[in-house]
């Protein structure tokens, strides 16, 4: 049996927009405040068992979450904030691991814009997905679920 890993990389960029019926300040708080973030991070599912959740929300600060969904593999997310403009923009880089295997590195930009009905949230991710675990489509699907959970946590 071979233990050689076939190496590959797939680049994927996607944009997800949500019109949220809450003011920018409230949407911002869902990202900036760890207690508020706990209500939606992980997709808002009870199936997620976190072993670690930290978030140092400042430029240069790091965030980590680790855990598993049910009996699934362990995942680990580690981010570094590179730009924060209060109530307007959040930029961070992050890496993900599944059962200790590095599966991706991404750059994410979250833009918040006031609208007459509340807030337009624009989530843009540019990622490299490593060694065949994902081509980016699963990440895009998961991000849509995550943003649905964020909106539900505000409603």
């Amino acid at each position: 049996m071979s233990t050689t890993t076939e190496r590959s990389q797939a680049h994927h960029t996607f944009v997800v927009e949500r019109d949220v019926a809450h003011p920018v300040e409230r949407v911002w708080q869902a990202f900036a405040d760890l207690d508020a973030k706990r209500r939606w991070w992980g997709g808002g599912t009870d199936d997620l068992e976190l072993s670690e959740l930290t978030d140092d929300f400042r430029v240069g600060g790091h965030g980590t979450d680790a855990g598993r969904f049910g009996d699934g593999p362990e995942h680990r997310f580690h981010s570094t904030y590179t730009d924060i403009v209060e109530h307007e923009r959040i930029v961070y880089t992050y890496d993900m691991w599944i059962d200790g295997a590095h599966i991706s590195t991404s750059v994410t930009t979250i833009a918040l814009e006031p609208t007459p009905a509340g807030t337009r949230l624009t989530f843009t991710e540019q990622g490299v997905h490593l060694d065949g675990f994902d081509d980016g489509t699963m990440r895009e699907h998961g991000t849509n679920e995550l943003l649905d959970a964020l909106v539900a946590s505000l409603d």
Side-chain angles (χ1 to χ4, degrees):
M1 179 163 151
S2 173
T3 58
T4 304
T5 300
E6 179 136 354
R7 302 296 180 188
S8 65
Q9 55 281 329
H11 294 88
H12 185 72
T13 298
F14 63 90
V15 177
V16 177
E17 292 184 336
R18 290 288 187 280
D19 287 315
V20 183
H22 297 281
V24 166
E25 295 78 12
R26 183 141 183 238
V27 178
W28 177 266
Q29 203 60 23
F31 289 98
D33 179 76
L34 185 56
D35 289 331
K37 193 173 190 178
R38 286 180 206 274
R39 290 192 284 276
W40 63 273
W41 189 250
T45 176
D46 292 333
D47 195 31
L48 175 62
E49 184 176 329
L50 285 174
S51 57
E52 182 178 0
L53 180 61
T54 64
D55 196 25
D56 181 9
F57 189 74
R58 63 180 177 84
V59 173
H62 300 281
T64 299
D65 92 50
R68 64 181 73 237
F69 290 93
D71 293 332
E74 180 184 38
H75 79 272
R76 184 169 190 79
F77 166 101
H78 184 76
S79 63
T80 301
Y81 291 101
T82 61
D83 186 67
I84 297 174
V85 179
E86 189 171 13
H87 300 145
E88 292 181 34
R89 181 177 64 226
I90 303 164
V91 181
Y92 59 91
T93 62
Y94 75 93
D95 290 276
M96 285 191 69
W97 293 264
I98 297 291
D99 280 344
H102 186 215
I103 65 163
S104 67
T105 299
S106 297
V107 176
T108 299
T109 304
I110 299 165
L112 302 177
E113 180 183 349
T115 66
T119 302
R120 162 73 48 100
L121 184 157
T122 304
F123 184 106
T124 304
E125 182 166 317
Q126 301 159 296
V128 57
H129 302 271
L130 306 170
D131 302 334
F133 183 81
D134 181 15
D135 62 4
T137 56
M138 288 190 314
R139 184 71 51 81
E140 185 171 355
H141 176 78
T143 298
N144 273 288
E145 290 180 344
L146 197 62
L147 294 180
D148 288 345
L150 179 146
V151 172
S153 79
L154 296 171
D155 287 343

